[in-house]
Amino acid sequence: MTGPRSTKHTNHLHQGRQDRLLRELIHDPYHSKRKLPEPTACPGCGAVYHEGRWSWAARPDEAHQELCPACQRQRDKVPAGFLSLSGAFFQAHRDEIMHLIHNLERREKSEHPLKRIMAIEMHDDSAEITFTDPHLARGAGEALHHAYKGELEFAYSEEDPLLRVEWRR
């Protein structure tokens, strides 16, 4: 006669709940936690909130007025993304590089009103660009890396939805 098996079998479907702390995803404080009345128009940029999203559309006559998240960020001077540019290549091709970034922003903003450049700070050998959307900052860094190679680094903030992108060449 043989004894009990020495291998342990675990049935994961019938296992008790494992208590653990799951850190909740950090949500952007500039995106409304409540559903806005429809339609809502932004008095700052003219974007219209309809069916749960901001878009470029004709402003309805009796639209509720509320600043969109991008205009709120611009008013408060609180960017969601930073792009730092530096290096000898940047200095030599500054106009071409800035043209690429402006074209990307124009293309993105045409479909997504919340994706905008907030400010551009030019220095002798570098530049810093702030954005209303972290995805646009990332997209601009990736576009530069795709077009000109160089070094690209991303740093996400633990405390809030902030992205820092550095590109240098």
Side-chain angles (χ1 to χ4, degrees):
M1 184 168 196
T2 60
R5 296 177 86 171
S6 61
T7 58
K8 190 174 184 180
H9 182 295
T10 305
N11 184 342
H12 294 287
L13 294 175
H14 293 95
Q15 230 178 3
R17 181 181 146 190
Q18 300 284 324
D19 279 350
R20 59 183 186 237
L21 292 174
L22 294 177
R23 207 171 90 175
E24 210 175 295
L25 290 175
I26 298 168
H27 296 287
D28 188 346
Y30 283 88
H31 286 275
S32 182
K33 305 281 186 268
R34 63 183 172 81
K35 187 169 172 88
L36 296 174
E38 296 219 13
T40 295
C42 176
C45 67
V48 176
Y49 182 84
H50 181 63
E51 295 181 356
R53 68 182 296 261
W54 290 94
S55 61
W56 299 117
R59 183 174 181 258
D61 290 335
E62 294 184 21
H64 174 74
Q65 298 281 319
E66 189 162 328
L67 283 178
C68 70
C71 287
Q72 289 176 25
R73 280 188 176 282
Q74 288 179 312
R75 178 197 62 201
D76 298 346
K77 294 181 175 60
V78 178
F82 291 85
L83 173 61
S84 299
L85 309 169
S86 62
F89 184 85
F90 170 69
Q91 288 176 310
H93 298 88
R94 181 185 305 246
D95 292 340
E96 183 181 335
I97 289 170
M98 294 308 296
H99 186 68
L100 183 143
I101 292 169
H102 281 292
N103 282 342
L104 175 68
E105 185 235 9
R106 192 172 15 260
R107 189 170 55 247
E108 286 291 319
K109 188 169 81 170
S110 71
E111 290 188 33
H112 307 283
L114 305 184
K115 293 185 177 186
R116 304 181 202 158
I117 291 175
M118 288 178 62
I120 299 173
E121 253 185 66
M122 298 300 267
H123 306 285
D124 291 339
D125 59 347
S126 64
E128 183 165 87
I129 305 168
T130 55
F131 298 89
T132 58
D133 183 90
H135 300 100
L136 185 55
R138 183 180 185 98
E142 288 174 343
L144 288 170
H145 188 259
H146 178 75
Y148 304 110
K149 306 300 180 240
E151 295 176 43
L152 182 63
E153 293 178 11
F154 302 100
Y156 289 93
S157 173
E158 291 284 328
E159 297 83 40
D160 42 53
L162 177 70
L163 172 63
R164 291 190 181 276
V165 180
E166 276 190 52
W167 178 84
R168 63 188 156 277
R169 179 169 166 209

